[in-house]
């Protein structure tokens, strides 16, 4: 017993203790396990348009009067399937009245996690483990951090993105390079 106290109280024991504390702190930061029990709900309405420096589009009538351009139009959509974590809800690609585009997640329900992103991708959506890690293999555009793991929310698509190149949306965990869930974008 005396030998154990000498080792634990000596420089080697203190060094091991410091290493364990540092490794534990890094592990907690990296995995953020508390997020599995924390939900963040975000409920956003579908915007009429995304603010830009240009005035809103208008259409001319035969009498010469102008009327506002039509409201939001859904161009494509699909149902989210589960990958690494149980995920459900719908995804829509919407053109707003001003010509801008948003990806809309509706009734999203997934796990919270570290460094979650919404990606517009060219990857096919595959069921099962084979579909978990394919979304960073080809072209993708990050639309930003996931605002909440539950609810309905909008993600602005940059104007320079060629939407014809992308066919799916993934809730992507950038820290672990894995999809929490994804949806194929079928044209409406």
């Amino acid at each position: 017993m005396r030998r154990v106290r000498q080792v634990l109280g000596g420089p080697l024991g203190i060094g091991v203790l410091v290493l364990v504390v540092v490794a534990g702190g890094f592990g907690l930061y990296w995995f953020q396990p508390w997020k599995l029990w924390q939900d963040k709900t975000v409920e956003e309405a579908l915007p009429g348009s995304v603010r830009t420096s240009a005035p809103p589009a208008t259409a001319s009538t035969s009498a010469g009067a102008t009327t506002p351009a039509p409201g939001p139009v859904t161009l494509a959509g699909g149902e989210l399937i589960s990958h690494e974590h149980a995920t459900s809800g719908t995804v829509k690609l919407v053109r707003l009245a001003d010509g801008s585009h948003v990806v809309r997640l509706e009734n999203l329900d997934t796990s919270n996690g570290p460094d979650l992103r919404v990606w517009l991708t060219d990857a096919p959506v595959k069921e099962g483990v084979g579909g978990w890690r394919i979304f960073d293999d080809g072209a993708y555009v990050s639309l930003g951090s996931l605002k909440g793991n539950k609810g309905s929310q909008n993600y602005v698509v940059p104007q320079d993105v060629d939407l014809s190149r992308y066919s799916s949306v993934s809730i992507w965990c950038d820290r672990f390079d894995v999809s929490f869930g994804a949806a194929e974008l079928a044209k409406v």
Side-chain angles (χ1 to χ4, degrees):
M1 188 69 163
R2 184 174 188 188
R3 176 84 177 134
V4 171
R5 274 191 237 142
Q6 284 178 338
V7 169
L8 291 178
L12 179 62
I14 292 172
V16 168
L17 181 61
V18 167
L19 183 62
V20 167
V21 169
V22 169
F26 178 76
L28 285 173
Y29 167 76
W30 189 254
F31 288 98
Q32 298 178 1
W34 58 88
K35 286 195 172 186
L36 291 174
W37 295 279
Q38 294 177 334
D39 289 328
K40 183 174 181 188
T41 302
V42 173
E43 293 293 343
E44 293 180 327
L46 180 63
S49 64
V50 174
R51 293 181 188 216
T52 63
S53 59
T58 58
S60 296
T61 63
S62 58
T66 59
T67 59
V73 176
T74 300
L75 304 176
E79 293 287 324
L80 285 162
I81 65 165
S82 298
H83 281 150
E84 174 72 17
H85 292 268
T87 301
S88 63
T90 58
V91 175
K92 293 180 181 178
L93 176 61
V94 179
R95 182 180 62 231
L96 302 176
D98 65 358
S100 63
H101 295 88
V102 295
V103 166
R104 179 157 174 83
L105 305 179
E106 291 185 338
N107 303 314
L108 174 66
D109 188 1
T110 191
S111 296
N112 203 344
D115 208 12
L116 295 179
R117 308 282 176 177
V118 177
W119 279 12
L120 190 58
T121 78
D122 67 349
V125 175
K126 296 180 182 178
E127 299 266 353
V129 177
W132 289 11
R133 299 187 184 274
I134 62 173
F135 294 97
D136 60 348
D137 293 345
Y140 62 87
V141 174
S142 178
L143 302 179
S145 296
L146 187 68
K147 297 173 185 176
N149 63 308
K150 296 186 181 301
S152 298
Q153 45 212 267
N154 308 301
Y155 297 86
V156 176
V157 178
Q159 290 183 351
D160 61 345
V161 171
D162 178 5
L163 292 172
S164 66
R165 294 185 58 205
Y166 303 99
S167 59
S168 61
V169 171
S170 173
I171 308 300
W172 184 257
C173 179
D174 216 17
R175 172 130 339 134
F176 296 105
D177 292 329
V178 67
S179 174
F180 273 33
E184 198 77 43
L185 289 173
K187 295 198 186 314
V188 176

